[in-house]
Amino acid sequence: MTSTPALVAPSAGAAFEARTVEHRDLRDDDVLIDITFAGICHSDIHQVREEWGSAIFPMVPGHEIAGVVSAVGDGVTRHKVGDRVGVGCMVDSCGECEFCKNGEEQFCSKGAVMTYNGRGYDGEATKGGYAQQVVVSERFAVKIPDGLELDVAAPLLCAGITVWSPLKRWGARPGKRVAVIGFGGLGHMAVKLASALGAEVSVLSRTDAKKDDGAALGATAYHATSDPGVLRELKGTFDLIINTVSADLPMQTYIGLLRPLGVIANVGLPTGNYEFAPGAVVGGSRVVAGSNIGGIPATQEMLDFCAEHGIGATVETISADQVDEAYERVVAGDVRYRFVIDTSTIAVPA
């Protein structure tokens, strides 16, 4: 077994504790990763607080992991000791179903194994990236190109791929008008990536407090949606809208911002249901879509694209003893734009 310092949530909503946790001995296809940075995703908070249903405790959250391979199983061929790698939301899948074979492991017919708050096929609870080491199947460790620093790369393993998937699927490219609803951890990455893909990008945010940031990250327009007149003026404007927020939006209004054949792709998970009249989509042949993360090939493609275009997350690096405070700040929207934990600061009491 591998023992490693980690931040552990002992129960729902409890403060984090620094403890030593155990990982399995390396299987033939496993890699051991020395974690350097772990991003804080809002979904970590939902799961630690049991806001998405019953969870597995004690819990080590974290699915935005960047580090260096320190050991490999006897059968590993994709990575070697010293490689810079990342791990996202999944750490295993069956590898045999149609979805796995097509590089869409997130839809694995057997059920993909989540990085934390899940169980492996052996029944053992998974432990995430708020730790100094993690063990995963080599198939789920992606290469972080040399052009990306590990701290700004870590959030790409969830926030980056989550918005990359709908941008690619629905054709963000030169000549397309893309709007991003929400300008936080996901939204700021959507703006960076859509802009780099060549689209004309607008931010739709409640206020104009981050207007200068929007322009700096590649947006050509910024609209404060708290002014109801703004949405009326934007009717029929966009080819693609990426909705990154988990708020109960008036979906019918936002569908109206689409041009004919336009798409609104939702990556947030609000507690309520979206409501809209069928005519809102039928009349202009519009699409209301959802989008999950992305498979391993798409994640690697995204990382390579980010390295080529000099794109990383905009981060605030914190120490392990600041994580509880960081959770409160994330909920309050007080982060620009992703907290990243320096895992070397995790200190287990003697």
Side-chain angles (χ1 to χ4, degrees):
M1 302 287 283
T2 297
S3 299
T4 186
L7 287 179
V8 177
S11 61
F16 279 99
E17 299 176 1
R19 299 183 185 176
T20 298
V21 300
E22 304 284 338
H23 288 296
R24 65 175 180 262
D25 290 331
L26 293 187
R27 300 167 180 165
D28 281 351
D29 66 337
D30 278 342
V31 293
L32 174 65
I33 300 168
D34 289 346
I35 301 170
T36 54
F37 296 100
I40 293 178
C41 178
H42 205 142
S43 61
D44 300 345
I45 302 172
H46 289 306
Q47 295 186 78
V48 164
R49 296 181 175 179
E50 272 194 330
E51 295 169 346
W52 286 350
S54 179
I56 302 169
F57 294 98
M59 183 193 300
V60 180
H63 57 207
E64 295 182 339
I65 301 168
V68 177
V69 175
S70 57
V72 300
D74 292 340
V76 169
T77 59
R78 299 189 182 193
H79 306 289
K80 64 182 184 302
V81 172
D83 282 356
R84 305 163 78 248
V85 295
V87 177
C89 299
M90 305 173 286
V91 290
D92 206 357
S93 72
C94 79
E96 299 295 331
C97 70
E98 61 174 308
F99 299 107
C100 288
K101 289 181 177 179
N102 288 334
E104 298 284 0
E105 296 88 351
Q106 71 273 29
F107 305 128
C108 176
S109 296
K110 187 176 179 179
V113 176
M114 296 295 101
T115 304
Y116 71 91
N117 195 28
R119 293 196 182 277
Y121 297 142
D122 59 3
E124 293 297 314
T126 53
K127 305 177 188 74
Y130 294 12
Q132 292 183 354
Q133 291 181 308
V134 69
V135 173
V136 302
S137 166
E138 66 167 333
R139 293 187 296 122
F140 289 85
V142 290
K143 295 185 183 298
I144 296 179
D146 289 339
L148 284 173
E149 296 298 326
L150 294 178
D151 56 347
V152 302
L156 302 180
L157 277 303
C158 174
I161 186 60
T162 295
V163 296
W164 175 260
S165 290
L167 287 170
K168 291 289 287 185
R169 180 181 181 186
W170 300 108
R173 59 183 183 271
K176 295 294 183 179
R177 296 177 179 176
V178 175
V180 177
I181 303 175
F183 196 51
L186 291 173
H188 93 286
M189 285 307 311
V191 169
K192 290 185 180 188
L193 290 169
S195 177
L197 286 165
E200 179 184 317
V201 185
S202 298
V203 174
L204 306 180
S205 186
R206 286 173 296 176
T207 72
D208 60 5
K210 301 176 182 176
K211 184 173 183 179
D212 290 344
D213 286 2
L217 300 187
T220 55
Y222 193 106
H223 304 282
T225 58
S226 56
D227 178 355
V230 166
L231 296 181
R232 287 195 295 270
E233 293 170 3
L234 292 174
K235 287 186 66 173
T237 297
F238 304 110
D239 300 291
L240 172 62
I241 298 173
I242 305 295
N243 175 22
T244 72
V245 303
S246 294
D248 299 326
L249 294 179
M251 186 54 61
Q252 174 122 355
T253 299
Y254 281 90
I255 292 170
L257 306 188
L258 293 170
R259 302 178 69 202
L261 305 178
V263 177
I264 180 166
N266 299 286
V267 298
L269 284 173
T271 55
N273 295 326
Y274 293 135
E275 294 185 3
F276 56 90
V281 291
V282 172
S285 295
R286 300 179 178 97
V287 174
V288 177
S291 187
N292 200 342
I293 46 173
I296 298 304
T299 302
Q300 189 64 64
E301 176 189 50
M302 177 270 305
L303 287 170
D304 293 343
F305 180 88
C306 286
E308 179 183 351
H309 291 84
I311 296 172
T314 300
V315 303
E316 182 177 335
T317 302
I318 61 173
S319 58
D321 62 1
Q322 295 176 290
V323 172
D324 289 310
E325 176 191 355
Y327 270 30
E328 297 302 328
R329 289 180 57 192
V330 170
V331 172
D334 180 26
V335 53
R336 295 192 179 184
Y337 283 90
R338 205 63 153 187
F339 284 119
V340 172
I341 306 165
D342 176 352
T343 60
S344 70
T345 63
I346 301 173
V348 177

